[in-house]
């Protein structure tokens, strides 16, 4: 057959779920240490082995300046998220979306 030489690179049938997460870096969130939140998220995601499952980005103004620093998980804006609450944030808002 014409597909006899077809090689697959997939070793598992497991589907990788990617959760889109954006941290606000607008002025109000920036002065409330959104950079520290990003760094804490990166560290926590690595510790939970979620580097490949989370698309972490910075985004200007999520429109909830009073509650900053804000983090968007998919379509939900959550704030305030602080460096000392990042681990609980990951457990509450990111892990459930990955482990369905």
């Amino acid at each position: 057959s014409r597909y006899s030489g077809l090689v697959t690179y997939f070793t598992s049938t497991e589907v990788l779920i990617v959760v889109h997460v954006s941290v606000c870096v607008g002025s109000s969130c920036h002065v409330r240490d959104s950079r520290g939140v990003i760094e804490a998220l990166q560290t926590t995601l690595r510790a939970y082995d979620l580097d490949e499952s989370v698309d972490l980005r910075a985004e200007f103004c999520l429109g909830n300046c009073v509650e900053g620093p804000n983090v968007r998980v998919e379509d939900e804006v959550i704030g305030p998220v602080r460096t000392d609450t990042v681990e609980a944030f990951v457990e509450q808002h990111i892990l459930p979306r990955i482990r369905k």
Side-chain angles (χ1 to χ4, degrees):
S1 102
R2 71 183 241 214
Y3 297 109
S4 63
L6 183 65
V7 176
T8 180
Y9 295 98
F10 299 103
T11 58
S12 171
T13 57
E14 186 176 314
V15 176
L16 177 64
I17 296 173
V18 176
V19 177
H20 301 281
V21 177
S22 298
V23 178
C24 181
V25 293
S27 300
S28 182
C29 290
H30 172 73
V31 298
R32 293 183 177 132
D33 197 26
S34 60
R35 180 178 177 88
V37 171
I38 292 170
E39 292 169 357
L41 274 169
Q42 289 171 326
T43 300
T44 304
L45 293 173
R46 274 193 302 274
Y48 279 81
D49 198 26
L50 297 175
D51 309 59
E52 307 248 337
S53 299
V54 176
D55 176 27
L56 180 61
R57 298 171 183 239
E59 185 175 333
F60 284 101
C61 198
L62 297 177
N64 191 27
C65 302
V66 175
E67 295 293 324
N70 296 294
V71 179
R72 180 194 322 264
V73 179
E74 299 298 341
D75 293 329
E76 181 182 7
V77 176
I78 301 137
V81 178
R82 298 179 316 272
T83 55
D84 63 333
T85 64
V86 163
E87 187 169 356
F89 172 82
V90 168
E91 290 174 357
Q92 184 177 1
H93 296 284
I94 296 176
L95 281 176
R97 295 173 191 261
I98 293 172
R99 297 183 180 156
K100 288 186 176 183

